[in-house]
Amino acid sequence: MTDTSSTAAVDLSLYPGGTSLDADGRLLIGGCAVADLAETYGTPAYLVDEGALRRTARSYVDAFASRHRNSLVLFASKSFPSASVIGVLAEEGCGVDAAAAGELGLALAGGADATRIVFHGNAKTDDDVRSALAAGVRYVVVDNLDDVERIGRLARQPVPVLLRVSPSLDAKTHAAMMTGHDASKFGIPSGQVDDVIRRIRREPMLDLRGLHAHVGSQLLDLDQFEAAVRALAAFERFPVYDFGGGLGVRYTSADDAPSIDDYAERLVTAVHRHLGEDVELLVEPGRSMVARNGITSYRVVTVKRGARTHVAVDGGMGDNLEVSLYGQAFQPSVIDRSGPAEVVDLVGRHCESGDELAHDVEVVSPRVGDLVTVPVTGAYCYTMSNNYNAALRPPVVFCRDGESRLAVRRETFDDLLRRERLLPGTDD
Ligand code: LLP
């Protein structure tokens, strides 16, 4: 063990913009002490800095509005599918990217305006299509020929649609997050696009307004967005273009990521050069909207020192699948006290060796009961939270100006049991 070094200290640049330490060195999210929130709401918990989230949304909207007259920033709701999060972002001027009926329902429940919702799904059922038509979304994104048939059959008036293109681009990211390559299950491969456009035009209930491309997620090289613009410019011109999401974020102090402004500048410049200044431009950021604005708090349950030091907390892959699914590196901290530093593996409480939150990380030497925070968990963690080992999904707490509000309550055991029919032993 060494004295607390800079790597064991909390790197505030990974935390929401409003994060600070109080006079006693306690970590404050949105002005609320994480320790107080742990008392009030328990752990693990997803803590969202509402003020920082609102500021990110406004920067996104401004970054595009100031560069392009006719733009709309749609929050990719899959990255944090909570009606409250969607509602806050809608208040700040964002529309919503909703995939299938479930996300559409959340967006409407959050107060989003249907005319600012773009509807997605690579396997839309009849019910999905009906829900989009009933809501009156801005565009339905056609992903396959069966979408054309379904919309044609179910619509009673012409539906504005975009066509999702898979533009043959191998995005530089984790294989599971590549979505614009030839082998992708999403969109129409470039070679078939002209045919599908003709097919759509034969269908009177489809009003083809433009093209869509989303080539991948956690993209750190802006050239890839420009490549997507060039790829869509190879087809006939349309009034609307949607370039999806994908902008990557920093997860650890060692990472570097482009700013929202740099991204907007590159994308809009490419759009103006290749598609013109008059098109309607849509983007669908998820991760870069929410990731840094949320953290997860845990309490240390046990520390086991042996070949490695395993620090086990009261959560894990039930609330954060990013590590086990994508090998994502996070930078946790033992908070609210100083002390010698120690290199540890932060593990969860699930029955699986892959249940790790961080590997080989330096933290203040942990003790049972300590609070641990993992920053940059605002994207896709709540999304993929699950009930492995009948774990109860954590609450979502909004923090702003020193006040906290429960946005989603903690799941209870009754919630789990409610779906069970308890077949053996029931009389009826
Ligand atoms: N638009 C479409 C059509 C998408 O499929 C996605 C993400 C987005 C926008 C938002 O992309 P973002 O800005 O967040 O990169 N489960 C993975 C992420 C999968 C992303 C899927 N699509 C994860 O946990 O990292």
Side-chain angles (χ1 to χ4, degrees), residues 39-186:
E39 289 303 321
T40 309
Y41 303 101
T43 52
Y46 299 113
L47 310 178
V48 173
D49 182 331
E50 185 188 337
L53 181 63
R54 288 181 185 275
R55 287 192 295 279
T56 305
R58 282 200 294 275
S59 325
Y60 240 118
V61 171
D62 290 349
F64 280 91
S66 62
R67 292 177 169 88
H68 186 80
R69 199 173 37 80
N70 188 4
S71 61
L72 179 56
V73 175
L74 306 155
F75 169 53
S77 57
K78 74 203 72 181
S79 61
F80 204 142
S82 144
S84 302
V85 169
I86 296 169
V88 159
L89 294 173
E91 278 180 10
E92 299 302 336
C94 298
V96 185
D97 147 11
E103 288 182 1
L104 175 59
L106 281 180
L108 296 173
D113 177 348
T115 64
R116 293 162 71 83
I117 296 176
V118 170
F119 190 75
H120 276 279
N122 74 302
K124 301 177 197 73
T125 62
D126 280 10
D127 283 346
D128 289 323
V129 171
R130 276 191 202 99
S131 71
L133 300 182
V137 300
R138 187 183 197 86
Y139 303 116
V140 176
V141 179
V142 169
D143 184 274
N144 51 62
L145 282 173
D146 297 296
D147 277 349
V148 180
E149 183 280 324
R150 282 196 172 89
I151 299 168
R153 172 164 49 81
L154 297 170
R156 295 289 162 266
Q157 57 193 44
V159 180
V161 302
L162 307 179
L163 175 62
R164 180 163 179 173
V165 175
S166 180
S168 305
L169 292 174
D170 288 339
K172 288 180 240 164
T173 186
H174 191 284
M177 297 188 211
M178 289 169 60
T179 44
H181 53 304
D182 281 339
S184 173
K185 71 169 181 172
F186 300 101

Side-chain angles (χ1 to χ4, degrees), residues 23 74 85 119 150 221 225-226 283 285 324 349 367 387 398:
L74 306 155
V85 169
F119 190 75
R150 282 196 172 89
D221 176 355
F225 297 101
E226 202 172 328
V283 285
S324 22
R349 63 198 307 254
R367 300 192 289 238
N387 296 118
F398 278 15

